[in-house]
Amino acid sequence: MNLIELISQSSFTEIAALLVLAALMGFIGLLLRQPLIVSFIAVGLIAGPSVLDIVHSKDQIKLLSELGIAVLLFLVGIKLDVKLIKSIGGVSVLTGLGQVAFTSLFGYYIGLGIGLDHITSLYVAVSLTFSSTIIIVKLLSDKREIESLHGQIALGFLIVQDLVVVVAMIILATIGIGSGHGDSNNSSVWQVVISGVGLLGFVIIFVRYIANPLTEKLAKAPELLVIYAIAQAALFAAIGDIVGLGMEVGGLLAGVALASTPYRESIAARLAPLRDFLLLFFFIALGATLDLSLLGAHLPGAMLFSLFVLIGNPLIVMIIMGLMGYGKRTGFLAGLTVAQISEFSLIFIAMGISLGHVPQDILGLVTLVGIITIAASTYMITYSHQLYSIFTPVIGMFERSGVPRENMTDDHTDAHYPVIIFGLGRLGTAIAMRLKEQGISVLGIDFNPAAIKHWRLLGLECEYGDATDAEFIIELPLNHANWVVSTIPHLHTGLSSEDIRRTVIQLTRSAGYKGKLAAVSQSSIDTEELNLLDVELILEPFQDTADRAAKMLLEGLAIQSDSSVSHELKE
């Protein structure tokens, strides 16, 4: 009995082998500075039918994959800002529909140009309109950009795309082509609409009357609160799947239902590791479905379609967002998120094959486009800020003067601020509040709209902007500042080696800043790196807190000791 047969003897052995293979590939990818998502898709390809062929427990892997999708979208929903959604709803709808229409139209003519017939060209063109919500949300979450303006807009038009997927699948299902999105053969457009309205209505009632008292009771047993959160994510995802909305929309609404509770941060923190573990199986399942034997004959056509998706989709997003008044940076970063196709693209083509409209080999064409665009767009999103710096000179045409949609604060160009703080989290806010109490003016910088809103409610001066945007840094009132403080930690996510603190230091110095620099360090290695960058003040929150606590404890012990001696002398 060889090793492959031994692994295939039981589902447990098979999943254990996949985990070992994932850990090995992930470690190799980490050494090579490759995104983990690419490593995990490679695990699926290696474990799939084209190489080792050890993925036989497909039902079990699919179950774990779907649970991971539910938890991922639940965590996105639980952090959504309802007021921000209202403000970006228009651009999300217009951008989502505009991108779908653009890709369908031009993709159709490209298909005709490479010799495909009209029906096949239409199927391929429509399949190219679907972007992978799961991969994009995972990447943006790992980069801590899901709450940024471009992250929220991207999430909005991805949801619009998901609804287009639902409609497309329903149209095919109603004429007898396979199963619809969510395996619901009898779904109709009206059924989905009515079900969606009903589910949304239930969420509104739940948020208003049930969420807070229920979570308050559950929070008395933190483990029970986590179990309930997972159960709600799975339940809503299952309902969404059954009624034809899709697991993604259901999972998202499950998170929205708990977004107003005071325990949302605790729930999110506890579920994040589970999300990452379960999503591994999503990528394994995705890679295992890609049959490499179907790919060779379609390489030229796949390269042409891939370039169209990688370049054309971001361009149309930038054009639409520019016309609506968003800045070139926001449009560029949001546009990169649609530079790939989705797993549903393969399902859509498979449905066309089952009808007899599309030849079998076209699945190989779309599969190869999927491999190319998912891998390439992963790098594009991971290194989006570096790409923006490269393309800044040529994308100015996509921005209207004044970027009216992003003027979140007053113009501070000519103001005098002794201290400018990058990063408006808990540490940055605490520093600013204490300086304000001493009468010192502080300007805060962040690209999280929720953080900007919070600072304004506190009466603090702030500006929406990205710390890695050289043009934005130049416009700041650096000439009058004595200190530039970066409270943004260096998070080692395994995706990107970019250190935002280093970027802030380099860009402010390049902009002519002559004052002093302060930055946060999370470890001794960080401290050494910051010393090499000539940072005058290195903030070590954990060490500083420990020093302060030890000092207070020693003072307390000294007081107790003096009291004891005094008491003994009296006796």
Side-chain angles (χ1 to χ4, degrees), residues 354-386:
S354 69
L355 179 66
H357 283 175
V358 180
Q360 177 73 33
D361 63 325
I362 293 301
L363 184 61
L365 169 66
V366 178
T367 297
L368 187 53
V369 173
I371 294 174
I372 295 171
T373 58
I374 289 173
S377 66
T378 297
Y379 290 103
M380 291 165 66
I381 296 172
T382 300
Y383 300 103
S384 57
H385 299 287
Q386 292 92 326

Short mmCIF file of all heavy atoms in Angstrom, two decimals, residues 354-386:
data_model
loop_
_atom_site.label_atom_id
_atom_site.label_comp_id
_atom_site.label_asym_id
_atom_site.label_seq_id
_atom_site.Cartn_x
_atom_site.Cartn_y
_atom_site.Cartn_z
N SER A 354 -23.87 22.01 -19.11
CA SER A 354 -24.95 21.04 -18.87
C SER A 354 -26.13 21.26 -19.80
O SER A 354 -26.86 20.33 -20.13
CB SER A 354 -25.40 21.12 -17.41
OG SER A 354 -26.06 22.35 -17.15
N LEU A 355 -26.35 22.49 -20.26
CA LEU A 355 -27.43 22.80 -21.19
C LEU A 355 -27.06 22.43 -22.63
O LEU A 355 -27.92 22.19 -23.47
CB LEU A 355 -27.77 24.29 -21.13
CG LEU A 355 -28.88 24.78 -22.07
CD1 LEU A 355 -30.22 24.17 -21.69
CD2 LEU A 355 -28.97 26.29 -22.09
N GLY A 356 -25.75 22.38 -22.90
CA GLY A 356 -25.30 22.12 -24.25
C GLY A 356 -25.02 23.38 -25.03
O GLY A 356 -24.74 23.33 -26.23
N HIS A 357 -25.06 24.54 -24.37
CA HIS A 357 -24.78 25.81 -25.03
C HIS A 357 -23.28 26.05 -25.18
O HIS A 357 -22.85 26.78 -26.07
CB HIS A 357 -25.39 26.96 -24.23
CG HIS A 357 -26.86 27.11 -24.42
ND1 HIS A 357 -27.61 28.01 -23.71
CD2 HIS A 357 -27.73 26.46 -25.23
CE1 HIS A 357 -28.88 27.92 -24.08
NE2 HIS A 357 -28.97 26.98 -25.00
N VAL A 358 -22.50 25.48 -24.26
CA VAL A 358 -21.07 25.78 -24.19
C VAL A 358 -20.29 24.48 -24.32
O VAL A 358 -20.60 23.49 -23.65
CB VAL A 358 -20.72 26.47 -22.85
CG1 VAL A 358 -19.23 26.78 -22.78
CG2 VAL A 358 -21.53 27.75 -22.67
N PRO A 359 -19.26 24.41 -25.16
CA PRO A 359 -18.43 23.20 -25.27
C PRO A 359 -17.67 22.92 -23.98
O PRO A 359 -17.35 23.84 -23.21
CB PRO A 359 -17.45 23.52 -26.41
CG PRO A 359 -17.86 24.83 -26.97
CD PRO A 359 -18.84 25.47 -26.08
N GLN A 360 -17.36 21.65 -23.74
CA GLN A 360 -16.70 21.23 -22.51
C GLN A 360 -15.35 21.93 -22.32
O GLN A 360 -14.99 22.30 -21.20
CB GLN A 360 -16.48 19.71 -22.56
CG GLN A 360 -15.73 19.15 -21.36
CD GLN A 360 -16.56 19.12 -20.10
OE1 GLN A 360 -17.77 18.93 -20.17
NE2 GLN A 360 -15.94 19.32 -18.95
N ASP A 361 -14.60 22.14 -23.39
CA ASP A 361 -13.25 22.69 -23.25
C ASP A 361 -13.23 24.15 -22.81
O ASP A 361 -12.19 24.66 -22.38
CB ASP A 361 -12.47 22.54 -24.55
CG ASP A 361 -13.09 23.33 -25.70
OD1 ASP A 361 -14.33 23.42 -25.74
OD2 ASP A 361 -12.34 23.85 -26.54
N ILE A 362 -14.37 24.84 -22.88
CA ILE A 362 -14.43 26.24 -22.44
C ILE A 362 -14.22 26.34 -20.93
O ILE A 362 -13.73 27.34 -20.41
CB ILE A 362 -15.77 26.88 -22.85
CG1 ILE A 362 -15.83 26.99 -24.38
CG2 ILE A 362 -15.93 28.27 -22.24
CD1 ILE A 362 -14.71 27.83 -24.99
N LEU A 363 -14.57 25.27 -20.20
CA LEU A 363 -14.30 25.26 -18.77
C LEU A 363 -12.81 25.38 -18.50
O LEU A 363 -12.39 26.03 -17.54
CB LEU A 363 -14.85 23.98 -18.14
CG LEU A 363 -14.73 23.89 -16.61
CD1 LEU A 363 -15.49 25.02 -15.92
CD2 LEU A 363 -15.23 22.53 -16.11
N GLY A 364 -11.97 24.78 -19.38
CA GLY A 364 -10.53 24.92 -19.25
C GLY A 364 -10.08 26.35 -19.45
O GLY A 364 -9.18 26.84 -18.75
N LEU A 365 -10.69 27.03 -20.41
CA LEU A 365 -10.36 28.44 -20.67
C LEU A 365 -10.64 29.30 -19.44
O LEU A 365 -9.77 30.06 -18.99
CB LEU A 365 -11.18 28.94 -21.86
CG LEU A 365 -11.16 30.46 -22.12
CD1 LEU A 365 -9.77 30.92 -22.51
CD2 LEU A 365 -12.18 30.84 -23.19
N VAL A 366 -11.84 29.18 -18.88
CA VAL A 366 -12.21 30.01 -17.73
C VAL A 366 -11.42 29.60 -16.49
O VAL A 366 -11.06 30.44 -15.67
CB VAL A 366 -13.74 29.91 -17.48
CG1 VAL A 366 -14.14 30.72 -16.25
CG2 VAL A 366 -14.50 30.41 -18.70
N THR A 367 -11.12 28.31 -16.37
CA THR A 367 -10.30 27.86 -15.25
C THR A 367 -8.92 28.51 -15.27
O THR A 367 -8.41 28.98 -14.24
CB THR A 367 -10.13 26.33 -15.30
OG1 THR A 367 -11.41 25.71 -15.15
CG2 THR A 367 -9.22 25.85 -14.18
N LEU A 368 -8.31 28.56 -16.45
CA LEU A 368 -6.99 29.17 -16.57
C LEU A 368 -7.06 30.67 -16.28
O LEU A 368 -6.16 31.23 -15.62
CB LEU A 368 -6.43 28.91 -17.97
CG LEU A 368 -4.97 29.35 -18.21
CD1 LEU A 368 -4.05 28.75 -17.16
CD2 LEU A 368 -4.52 28.93 -19.61
N VAL A 369 -8.11 31.32 -16.76
CA VAL A 369 -8.30 32.75 -16.43
C VAL A 369 -8.41 32.92 -14.91
O VAL A 369 -7.85 33.85 -14.33
CB VAL A 369 -9.56 33.31 -17.12
CG1 VAL A 369 -9.84 34.73 -16.65
CG2 VAL A 369 -9.38 33.29 -18.64
N GLY A 370 -9.13 31.99 -14.26
CA GLY A 370 -9.26 32.05 -12.81
C GLY A 370 -7.93 31.94 -12.10
O GLY A 370 -7.61 32.70 -11.18
N ILE A 371 -7.11 30.96 -12.51
CA ILE A 371 -5.79 30.77 -11.88
C ILE A 371 -4.94 32.03 -12.04
O ILE A 371 -4.33 32.52 -11.08
CB ILE A 371 -5.08 29.55 -12.49
CG1 ILE A 371 -5.82 28.27 -12.14
CG2 ILE A 371 -3.63 29.48 -11.99
CD1 ILE A 371 -5.27 27.03 -12.82
N ILE A 372 -4.90 32.55 -13.26
CA ILE A 372 -4.04 33.72 -13.54
C ILE A 372 -4.52 34.95 -12.77
O ILE A 372 -3.72 35.63 -12.11
CB ILE A 372 -4.01 34.01 -15.06
CG1 ILE A 372 -3.34 32.87 -15.81
CG2 ILE A 372 -3.28 35.33 -15.33
CD1 ILE A 372 -3.47 32.97 -17.32
N THR A 373 -5.82 35.24 -12.85
CA THR A 373 -6.32 36.48 -12.24
C THR A 373 -6.35 36.42 -10.73
O THR A 373 -6.05 37.43 -10.06
CB THR A 373 -7.73 36.82 -12.78
OG1 THR A 373 -8.63 35.73 -12.50
CG2 THR A 373 -7.69 37.08 -14.27
N ILE A 374 -6.68 35.27 -10.15
CA ILE A 374 -6.69 35.17 -8.68
C ILE A 374 -5.27 35.34 -8.14
O ILE A 374 -5.04 36.07 -7.17
CB ILE A 374 -7.31 33.84 -8.24
CG1 ILE A 374 -8.82 33.85 -8.49
CG2 ILE A 374 -7.04 33.59 -6.75
CD1 ILE A 374 -9.50 32.52 -8.24
N ALA A 375 -4.31 34.66 -8.78
CA ALA A 375 -2.92 34.78 -8.31
C ALA A 375 -2.40 36.20 -8.50
O ALA A 375 -1.84 36.80 -7.57
CB ALA A 375 -2.03 33.79 -9.06
N ALA A 376 -2.62 36.77 -9.69
CA ALA A 376 -2.09 38.12 -9.96
C ALA A 376 -2.77 39.18 -9.10
O ALA A 376 -2.10 40.07 -8.56
CB ALA A 376 -2.28 38.45 -11.45
N SER A 377 -4.08 39.10 -8.95
CA SER A 377 -4.78 40.12 -8.17
C SER A 377 -4.44 40.03 -6.69
O SER A 377 -4.50 41.03 -5.98
CB SER A 377 -6.30 40.01 -8.37
OG SER A 377 -6.80 38.81 -7.82
N THR A 378 -4.09 38.84 -6.23
CA THR A 378 -3.65 38.70 -4.84
C THR A 378 -2.41 39.55 -4.59
O THR A 378 -2.31 40.27 -3.58
CB THR A 378 -3.36 37.23 -4.50
OG1 THR A 378 -4.56 36.47 -4.64
CG2 THR A 378 -2.83 37.09 -3.07
N TYR A 379 -1.46 39.50 -5.51
CA TYR A 379 -0.27 40.34 -5.40
C TYR A 379 -0.64 41.83 -5.57
O TYR A 379 -0.09 42.69 -4.88
CB TYR A 379 0.77 39.95 -6.45
CG TYR A 379 1.40 38.60 -6.19
CD1 TYR A 379 1.03 37.48 -6.93
CD2 TYR A 379 2.37 38.44 -5.21
CE1 TYR A 379 1.60 36.24 -6.69
CE2 TYR A 379 2.95 37.22 -4.97
CZ TYR A 379 2.57 36.11 -5.71
OH TYR A 379 3.14 34.90 -5.46
N MET A 380 -1.55 42.11 -6.48
CA MET A 380 -1.94 43.50 -6.72
C MET A 380 -2.57 44.14 -5.49
O MET A 380 -2.28 45.29 -5.14
CB MET A 380 -2.90 43.57 -7.91
CG MET A 380 -2.25 43.25 -9.25
SD MET A 380 -3.43 42.91 -10.58
CE MET A 380 -4.21 44.52 -10.75
N ILE A 381 -3.43 43.39 -4.81
CA ILE A 381 -4.07 43.91 -3.60
C ILE A 381 -3.08 43.97 -2.45
O ILE A 381 -3.05 44.93 -1.67
CB ILE A 381 -5.29 43.05 -3.23
CG1 ILE A 381 -6.36 43.13 -4.33
CG2 ILE A 381 -5.89 43.50 -1.89
CD1 ILE A 381 -7.51 42.17 -4.15
N THR A 382 -2.24 42.94 -2.35
CA THR A 382 -1.24 42.90 -1.28
C THR A 382 -0.29 44.09 -1.36
O THR A 382 0.04 44.72 -0.35
CB THR A 382 -0.44 41.59 -1.35
OG1 THR A 382 -1.33 40.49 -1.20
CG2 THR A 382 0.63 41.54 -0.26
N TYR A 383 0.15 44.43 -2.56
CA TYR A 383 1.10 45.52 -2.75
C TYR A 383 0.43 46.72 -3.42
O TYR A 383 1.04 47.40 -4.24
CB TYR A 383 2.29 45.02 -3.56
CG TYR A 383 3.02 43.87 -2.90
CD1 TYR A 383 2.85 42.56 -3.33
CD2 TYR A 383 3.83 44.09 -1.79
CE1 TYR A 383 3.49 41.50 -2.70
CE2 TYR A 383 4.48 43.04 -1.15
CZ TYR A 383 4.30 41.76 -1.60
OH TYR A 383 4.93 40.72 -0.96
N SER A 384 -0.81 46.96 -3.05
CA SER A 384 -1.60 48.02 -3.69
C SER A 384 -1.00 49.41 -3.50
O SER A 384 -1.02 50.23 -4.42
CB SER A 384 -3.03 48.00 -3.15
OG SER A 384 -3.04 48.14 -1.74
N HIS A 385 -0.44 49.67 -2.34
CA HIS A 385 0.11 51.01 -2.08
C HIS A 385 1.38 51.26 -2.89
O HIS A 385 1.60 52.37 -3.39
CB HIS A 385 0.38 51.18 -0.59
CG HIS A 385 -0.86 51.06 0.26
ND1 HIS A 385 -1.83 52.03 0.30
CD2 HIS A 385 -1.29 50.06 1.06
CE1 HIS A 385 -2.80 51.66 1.11
NE2 HIS A 385 -2.50 50.46 1.58
N GLN A 386 2.18 50.22 -3.03
CA GLN A 386 3.37 50.38 -3.87
C GLN A 386 2.97 50.59 -5.34
O GLN A 386 3.58 51.40 -6.05
CB GLN A 386 4.26 49.14 -3.75
CG GLN A 386 4.92 48.99 -2.38
CD GLN A 386 4.10 48.14 -1.42
OE1 GLN A 386 2.87 48.17 -1.46
NE2 GLN A 386 4.77 47.40 -0.57
#
